[in-house]
Amino acid sequence: MTRAAPPVPPPRSAEDSLTGDGLRNVPGAEEDQQRGFRSGDIVAIDGSPGDWELMERARAAGIWQIERAHRDNRERFEVHTRHLRPLPDAPHVRRGDLVMQHYPEQTHAAQVTDVFRSGYWMARKTHTRDGQTWSSTDEVNRLVVVTRTQLESAARLPRESGDHRGWILQAIVSRFAGKYRVVCSCLPSIEVSRNGRRIGWCSSLQAAETLWEWHAAGETGPAPDDFTNDDLIAPAPGPRARTGHVTAPATLFDLDPPT
């Protein structure tokens, strides 16, 4: 059961009478489409304090079902489109989005289940991998929205040579998106690097294959060069503090061992 959002109920004037096709003939009934409101948007409502999430359109034209954008105790109401206002600091992440933390080593995405304000905008996410599901909460400003096409097209190529077991991985987000890095289980940081403590980012798959071969052969002689611009070379990662609240374990750097 849904109720009108207090303290402003949806208007019920003569203009709101039902038409023959069962839809409300309300002036501005298509306004939500014209103004770009979509399910999952966080908005303001005239006369009602706080943040509100648009859940879905009601059967009556011009009416949205909404919930307070709280972490818990979310009660559902109904409100007319004419009372919706864009929120100046609305988050860029919405319920249902696939998101990743915005760093180039990230290889898996999670699905947003809730967005709420707790000092900062926060997103609660669900991770599913290898038959296991767990949740985490993160600040929205740490997240970037991705598509399934991006995830499925990114290279994740296992490599094995002698005692070396590793991967060639293609970055999905950040300024390194589309670039390749090489990792090996024999290294403390797992990253194959050039020039000291730097990740050996590669501009092409061929360059990454060459870097893997150099590493697997014992790193004899200088590393094969690729990038010469230091702006395209990231520092090698140290211990990374996990952000948000994670309620289930994840594998090291989100990698699975080659099979």
Side-chain angles (χ1 to χ4, degrees), residues 75-150:
E75 189 175 1
R76 186 165 293 201
F77 302 92
E78 289 185 349
V79 68
H80 194 281
T81 297
R82 66 168 61 98
H83 297 300
L84 304 182
R85 296 292 179 265
L87 199 63
D89 66 337
H92 68 281
V93 167
R94 299 160 57 241
R95 178 191 299 265
D97 282 345
L98 288 173
V99 295
M100 305 176 74
Q101 289 186 339
H102 196 262
Y103 63 87
E105 300 92 346
Q106 184 86 318
T107 58
H108 291 82
Q111 188 165 38
V112 175
T113 57
D114 290 294
V115 179
F116 56 93
R117 197 195 297 266
S118 180
Y120 300 97
W121 284 113
M122 307 293 292
R124 187 156 42 192
K125 308 166 294 176
T126 297
H127 306 253
T128 302
R129 194 178 315 154
D130 299 329
Q132 295 186 347
T133 300
W134 67 96
S135 64
S136 67
T137 301
D138 219 334
E139 292 182 20
V140 164
N141 62 12
R142 299 179 184 270
L143 303 175
V144 59
V145 178
V146 296
T147 66
R148 293 197 182 277
T149 299
Q150 286 176 282

Side-chain angles (χ1 to χ4, degrees), residues 228-244:
T228 58
N229 184 348
D230 284 348
D231 290 340
L232 295 176
I233 304 176
R240 184 183 301 281
R242 189 177 298 278
T243 59

Side-chain angles (χ1 to χ4, degrees), residues 9-218:
R12 292 292 184 264
S13 66
E15 296 176 325
D16 294 340
S17 59
L18 293 178
T19 63
D21 60 3
L23 297 179
R24 292 187 180 277
N25 183 18
V26 181
E30 302 303 320
E31 185 180 357
D32 53 341
Q33 296 178 353
Q34 297 172 5
R35 295 167 62 187
F37 289 125
R38 299 178 298 167
S39 177
D41 286 347
I42 309 294
V43 301
I45 296 179
D46 288 340
S48 297
D51 309 313
W52 298 84
E53 181 178 353
L54 301 183
M55 304 303 295
E56 57 185 347
R57 291 185 177 90
R59 294 186 62 183
I63 305 297
W64 274 97
Q65 293 187 359
I66 61 173
E67 292 181 2
R68 290 190 183 275
H70 291 173
R71 181 185 178 99
D72 301 301
N73 301 320
R74 297 170 63 102
E75 189 175 1
R76 186 165 293 201
F77 302 92
E78 289 185 349
V79 68
H80 194 281
T81 297
R82 66 168 61 98
H83 297 300
L84 304 182
R85 296 292 179 265
L87 199 63
D89 66 337
H92 68 281
V93 167
R94 299 160 57 241
R95 178 191 299 265
D97 282 345
L98 288 173
V99 295
M100 305 176 74
Q101 289 186 339
H102 196 262
Y103 63 87
E105 300 92 346
Q106 184 86 318
T107 58
H108 291 82
Q111 188 165 38
V112 175
T113 57
D114 290 294
V115 179
F116 56 93
R117 197 195 297 266
S118 180
Y120 300 97
W121 284 113
M122 307 293 292
R124 187 156 42 192
K125 308 166 294 176
T126 297
H127 306 253
T128 302
R129 194 178 315 154
D130 299 329
Q132 295 186 347
T133 300
W134 67 96
S135 64
S136 67
T137 301
D138 219 334
E139 292 182 20
V140 164
N141 62 12
R142 299 179 184 270
L143 303 175
V144 59
V145 178
V146 296
T147 66
R148 293 197 182 277
T149 299
Q150 286 176 282
L151 297 171
E152 293 169 358
S153 62
R156 286 174 52 86
L157 308 174
R159 289 294 179 264
E160 182 175 342
S161 180
D163 294 332
H164 297 277
R165 306 288 186 274
W167 294 81
I168 293 176
L169 301 168
Q170 190 174 23
I172 300 172
V173 297
S174 84
R175 63 194 178 99
F176 292 96
K179 304 298 187 292
Y180 299 83
R181 63 192 177 99
V182 180
V183 301
C184 186
S185 60
C186 74
L187 299 170
S189 71
I190 81 170
E191 302 284 351
V192 178
S193 61
R194 297 186 183 92
N195 305 321
R197 289 184 53 78
R198 290 180 174 181
I199 295 175
W201 286 104
C202 301
S203 59
S204 67
L205 179 56
Q206 181 179 358
E209 295 279 13
T210 301
L211 186 63
W212 168 259
E213 292 168 1
W214 169 79
H215 168 72

